[in-house]
Amino acid sequence: MKIIVINGSPRTNGITASILHSVESELISLGIDVEFFNLTDLDIGHCLGCCSCYKTGHCIIKDDADRLSEKIKHADGLVLGSPTYASNVSGLMKDFIDRGHFVIEQLLKDKYCITVATGENYGFKNTLKILDDLVIFSGGTLSGHIALKAPFNSKEVLSEKIRNLIRKASCRVEAKKKNIFQNLYHNLIFSIGIKPFVKRKGKRYTGVIKGWADMQMIKGENI
Ligand SMILES: Cc1cc2nc3c(=O)[nH]c(=O)nc-3n(C[C@H](O)[C@H](O)[C@H](O)COP(=O)(O)O)c2cc1C
């Protein structure tokens, strides 16, 4: 089993990284192969909004976004962590979300995911919800989520409560535990929202339709 861990903080030694490294250690202790990425070390530009990826299946910008997205596609799961910036995910994380082919392409189908959000004041629950929705809307199973409020730059040791959440979420990933309510919710979003939308777009979304057929989400390339 292979899991990709992504840190959306520009600080590679901050509190978000600290939680993500704890998740990494826990997953490794369960015999899982883990690859850790700090988005700040990668070259990921802003989305240009041209929508050509929906037609061709890949981005016109040649940088690390498609490469990281491909790694996720071939992994069994994803751990996404971000600090809260203005009650939202960091700019680094938002750029990757926009460029990573998540929701329309259903990148996280059959993948087990954990989300992590940190903040020091108000809004970190919004950040967590943004990451949680991304997982569910992209077809993933949310195996657990962790929100931590801590003073900026604090080097505090993670509490037993947080360690427990990390342990439980990692075990659910390792056990490949599905969640029937999340599945139902996702099926509804996909069949009522995403699929008719893509059908209306027709030939402009052939890359998306081919991707769904490859994942056997639809029969042939006929929706
Ligand atoms: C530009 C900026 C905006 C921030 N906005 C918020 C915010 O809206 N709410 C909050 O709780 N914390 C906010 N913070 C604090 C960080 O989210 C918090 O310290 C976070 O845990 C830092 O994570 P890191 O150590 O992994 O970088 C902000 C920090 C920065 C630099």
Side-chain angles (χ1 to χ4, degrees), residues 9 11 14-17 83-87 118-124 150 152:
S9 173
R11 295 164 6 108
I15 191 77
T16 314
T84 299
Y85 285 180
S87 302
T118 65
E120 62 171 349
N121 188 14
Y122 176 81
F124 63 96
F152 181 74

Side-chain angles (χ1 to χ4, degrees), residues 78 106 108-115 128 131-145 169 172-173 176-191 194:
L78 176 67
Q106 296 288 288
L108 303 180
K109 176 159 190 305
D110 295 331
K111 306 205 188 295
Y112 300 88
C113 306
I114 300 174
T115 57
L128 195 67
L131 295 175
D132 289 353
D133 283 349
L134 179 75
V135 167
I136 306 279
F137 296 173
S138 306
T141 294
L142 186 63
S143 302
H145 63 182
R172 276 189 225 111
V173 167
K176 297 191 170 183
K177 206 166 187 288
K178 296 248 184 209
N179 180 312
I180 185 172
F181 299 108
Q182 287 179 16
N183 279 357
L184 282 172
Y185 183 42
H186 169 261
N187 284 345
L188 212 65
I189 288 164
F190 185 70
S191 53
I194 299 173

Side-chain angles (χ1 to χ4, degrees), residues 86-207:
S87 302
N88 210 308
V89 294
S90 67
L92 278 173
M93 181 58 82
K94 185 65 170 70
D95 273 336
F96 181 55
I97 291 172
D98 293 347
R99 296 277 317 286
H101 313 292
F102 280 93
V103 177
I104 299 290
E105 294 86 345
Q106 296 288 288
L107 179 69
L108 303 180
K109 176 159 190 305
D110 295 331
K111 306 205 188 295
Y112 300 88
C113 306
I114 300 174
T115 57
V116 173
T118 65
E120 62 171 349
N121 188 14
Y122 176 81
F124 63 96
K125 288 189 180 154
N126 294 350
T127 309
L128 195 67
K129 186 169 186 317
I130 288 164
L131 295 175
D132 289 353
D133 283 349
L134 179 75
V135 167
I136 306 279
F137 296 173
S138 306
T141 294
L142 186 63
S143 302
H145 63 182
I146 298 142
L148 179 67
K149 184 175 175 178
F152 181 74
N153 230 0
S154 72
K155 292 287 167 230
E156 72 176 45
V157 177
L158 299 183
S159 67
E160 193 47 39
K161 189 179 162 202
I162 296 287
R163 293 198 166 277
N164 246 329
L165 288 175
I166 292 174
R167 240 172 263 137
K168 281 188 183 152
S170 304
C171 286
R172 276 189 225 111
V173 167
E174 197 267 339
K176 297 191 170 183
K177 206 166 187 288
K178 296 248 184 209
N179 180 312
I180 185 172
F181 299 108
Q182 287 179 16
N183 279 357
L184 282 172
Y185 183 42
H186 169 261
N187 284 345
L188 212 65
I189 288 164
F190 185 70
S191 53
I192 294 177
I194 299 173
K195 213 166 145 183
F197 170 79
V198 168
K199 192 171 182 176
R200 282 196 302 274
K201 295 284 185 178
K203 285 196 165 57
R204 281 171 294 164
Y205 275 50
T206 45

